[in-house]
């Protein structure tokens, strides 16, 4: 049906903003008049026009009597830009098909109401489009529902579920194309998260180098803020935004981090939930955890990991090597952590498994 085709295009347009819109959502909008697409828009970055405003600008007078297909409820607030609902009314659209309600407390149904009160036929069709809209904007929606970012844990593992050899050597478990895929994941995310142990062990750069794309913000969870002073992260902190989270930093550490251009977040506790909340409060809503077993195990045990992406390499390293996750063992298989909506693909000889993490048979 035509409606679905137009909404499909709106979803594709929204994807063009992927990686750059945080803390704002991905939004795509299509205006259709008499069976012809007269305006298209998508949101690129905070402070930039909203998708609906761009579609209206392209449509000009042809917006009168048109139908809007929008992946998110049009806004009703004066933020960095004026309310889209008012602009849509002023332009004289006749009908609006919307994929999902906007949970931002500044909007939260008011955009739809304003359009209805202005005489527009509004169809909020979550039954048809809601699942896709929620998948596309999972971080934005999770943040407005819980105050937490969406956390994806990514790791390269062997067939025996290990992330390194017994000596700690981990270069390289996954194949070159898998490593490129990881850079792609980084380019699409707001922040990459590791623990200080990973910085000591691997001295990673956590930037996007193997593919085109922007670097995510790099975040290191520590207790005392003391990263190795010769680490690549510190050496490049002026070029690529770098955040250090600490709950026991000394004045000397604060000063040295500041000198290197690091953004230090100081918390009153070492609870990873507080760390994630602090990241979300800074607009980092989509977090890719590339940490080691200790950090990932702590996040898993606290129920803070939403998604898993595993690059499973066809090799075996044997006993004594570090497990994927240092998490407490479950008593019964029925209590295991599981993936839902599992997807598999193959990259070189690696098997890539991803899905949403849930606990038990739920
Ligand atoms: C966007 N782009 O295309 C739409 C948004 O900071 P502001 O003023 O740009 O407002 C951001 C809020 O506007 C965002 O949280 C969401 O509720 C609403 N809709 N935002 O960035 C768009 N349609
Ligand atoms: Zn808007």
């Amino acid at each position: 049906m035509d409606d679905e085709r137009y909404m499909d295009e709106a979803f594709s347009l929204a994807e063009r903003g992927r990686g750059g819109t945080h803390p704002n959502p991905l939004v795509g909008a299509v205006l259709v008049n008499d069976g012809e697409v007269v305006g298209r828009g998508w949101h690129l970055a905070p402070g930039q026009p909203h998708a609906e405003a761009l579609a209206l600008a392209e449509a000009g007078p042809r917006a009168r009597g048109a139908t809007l297909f929008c992946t998110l409820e049009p806004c009703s607030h004066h933020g960095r830009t004026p309310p889209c609902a008012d602009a849509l009314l002023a332009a004289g659209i006749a009908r609006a098909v919307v994929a999902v309600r906007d949970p931002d407390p500044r909007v939260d149904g008011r955009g739809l109401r304003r359009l209805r009160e202005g005489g527009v036929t509004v169809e909020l069709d979550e039954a048809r489009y809601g699942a896709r809209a929620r998948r596309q904007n999972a971080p934005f929606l999770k943040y407005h529902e819980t105050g937490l970012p969406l956390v994806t844990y990514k790791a390269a593992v062997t067939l025996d579920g290990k992330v390194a050899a017994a000596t700690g050597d981990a270069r390289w478990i996954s194949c070159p194309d898998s490593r490129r895929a990881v850079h792609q994941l980084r380019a699409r995310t707001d922040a990459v998260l590791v623990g200080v142990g990973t910085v000591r062990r691997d001295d990673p750069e956590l930037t996007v180098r193997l593919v085109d794309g922007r670097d995510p913000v790099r975040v290191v969870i520590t207790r005392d803020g003391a990263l190795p002073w010769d680490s690549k992260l510190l050496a490049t902190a002026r070029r690529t935004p770098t955040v250090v989270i600490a709950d026991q930093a000394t004045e000397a550490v604060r000063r040295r981090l500041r000198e290197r251009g690091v953004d230090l977040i100081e918390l009153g506790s070492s609870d990873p939930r507080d760390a994630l909340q602090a990241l979300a409060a800074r607009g980092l809503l989509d977090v890719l955890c590339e940490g080691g077993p200790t950090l990932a195990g702590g996040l898993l045990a606290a129920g803070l990991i939403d998604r898993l992406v595993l690059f499973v390499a066809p090799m075996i390293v044997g006993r004594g090597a570090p497990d994927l996750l240092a998490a407490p063992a479950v008593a019964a298989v029925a209590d295991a952590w599981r993936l839902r909506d599992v997807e598999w693909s193959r990259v070189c000889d690696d098997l890539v498994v991803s899905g949403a993490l849930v606990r038990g048979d739920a």
Side-chain angles (χ1 to χ4, degrees):
M1 160 180 160
D2 284 349
D3 277 13
E4 290 185 15
R5 206 160 40 81
Y6 295 129
M7 188 61 92
D8 184 61
E9 180 168 4
F11 278 118
S12 306
L13 292 172
E15 275 306 314
R16 299 187 186 185
R18 172 84 56 193
T21 63
H22 66 272
N24 286 352
L26 295 173
V27 186
V30 172
L31 279 167
V32 179
N33 201 337
D34 241 349
E36 189 195 340
V37 174
V38 293
R40 293 177 173 86
W42 62 94
H43 189 57
L44 255 191
Q48 298 284 323
H50 288 184
E52 305 90 312
L54 291 170
L56 284 175
E58 188 190 335
R62 287 182 298 171
R64 187 154 300 280
T67 296
L68 168 77
F69 294 87
C70 197
T71 61
L72 185 72
E73 171 184 3
C75 70
S76 51
H77 68 293
H78 288 269
R80 283 171 273 221
T81 64
C84 292
D86 293 357
L88 291 162
L89 286 177
I93 69 159
R95 178 174 169 241
V97 183
V98 171
V100 75
R101 179 184 166 112
D102 181 355
D104 185 319
R106 297 171 297 175
V107 184
D108 204 15
R110 286 184 207 92
L112 297 178
R113 200 181 323 139
R114 194 171 298 184
L115 288 174
R116 275 198 193 104
E117 285 168 2
V120 174
T121 305
V122 175
E123 292 162 37
L124 173 66
D125 198 344
E126 293 203 0
R128 189 169 295 162
Y129 309 115
R132 185 162 175 195
R134 274 188 291 276
R135 218 167 31 244
Q136 182 167 60
N137 267 320
F140 174 79
L141 296 170
K142 184 182 177 197
Y143 170 64
H144 282 292
E145 279 152 20
T146 65
L148 287 164
L150 189 94
V151 178
T152 301
Y153 178 52
K154 162 258 139 186
V157 286
T158 63
L159 283 180
D160 47 347
K162 312 291 184 173
V163 293
T167 56
D169 175 47
R171 292 215 163 123
W172 297 100
I173 289 177
S174 56
C175 66
D177 284 347
S178 288
R179 302 204 298 272
R180 255 189 292 284
V182 169
H183 283 225
Q184 232 138 28
L185 289 177
R186 287 180 185 165
R188 293 160 57 88
T189 199
D190 303 342
V192 170
L193 176 70
V194 295
V196 70
T198 294
V199 180
R200 290 212 186 90
R201 216 170 26 246
D202 300 345
D203 191 21
E205 218 169 304
L206 303 175
T207 52
V208 175
R209 302 181 305 282
L210 304 176
V211 298
D212 287 336
R214 42 164 276 300
D215 290 335
V217 174
R218 305 172 302 178
V219 182
V220 188
I221 293 194
T222 72
R223 296 301 308 270
D224 61 6
L227 300 196
W229 297 113
D230 55 354
S231 61
K232 287 185 190 147
L233 281 181
L234 283 187
T236 57
R238 292 220 172 273
R239 205 170 54 221
T240 303
T242 308
V243 172
V244 168
I245 297 176
D247 63 297
Q248 295 173 355
T250 62
E251 189 46 41
V253 164
R254 284 191 195 111
R255 203 177 47 243
R256 294 186 73 169
L257 289 175
R258 215 177 304 126
E259 278 164 13
R260 297 291 192 99
V262 169
D263 180 6
L264 174 65
I265 299 181
E266 295 200 68
L267 300 176
S269 85
S270 62
D271 185 337
R273 178 178 292 269
D274 293 343
L276 291 175
Q277 259 162 3
L279 295 178
R282 287 180 180 228
L284 302 173
L285 309 184
D286 192 7
V287 173
L288 182 69
C289 176
E290 297 197 43
T294 312
L295 175 62
L299 292 174
L300 181 83
L304 293 168
I305 300 182
D306 299 287
R307 299 188 53 78
L308 217 61
V309 181
L310 289 187
F311 294 84
V312 185
M315 63 171 84
I316 291 168
V317 291
R319 283 174 69 183
D323 291 319
L324 170 63
L325 291 152
V330 299
V333 171
D335 301 330
W337 296 95
R338 289 166 195 271
L339 292 189
R340 289 273 180 270
D341 304 324
V342 184
E343 289 176 22
W344 298 273
S345 62
R346 177 185 173 163
V347 179
C348 349
D349 280 345
D350 292 350
L351 172 68
V352 189
V353 185
S354 62
L357 201 61
V358 294
R359 183 72 200 266
D361 289 328

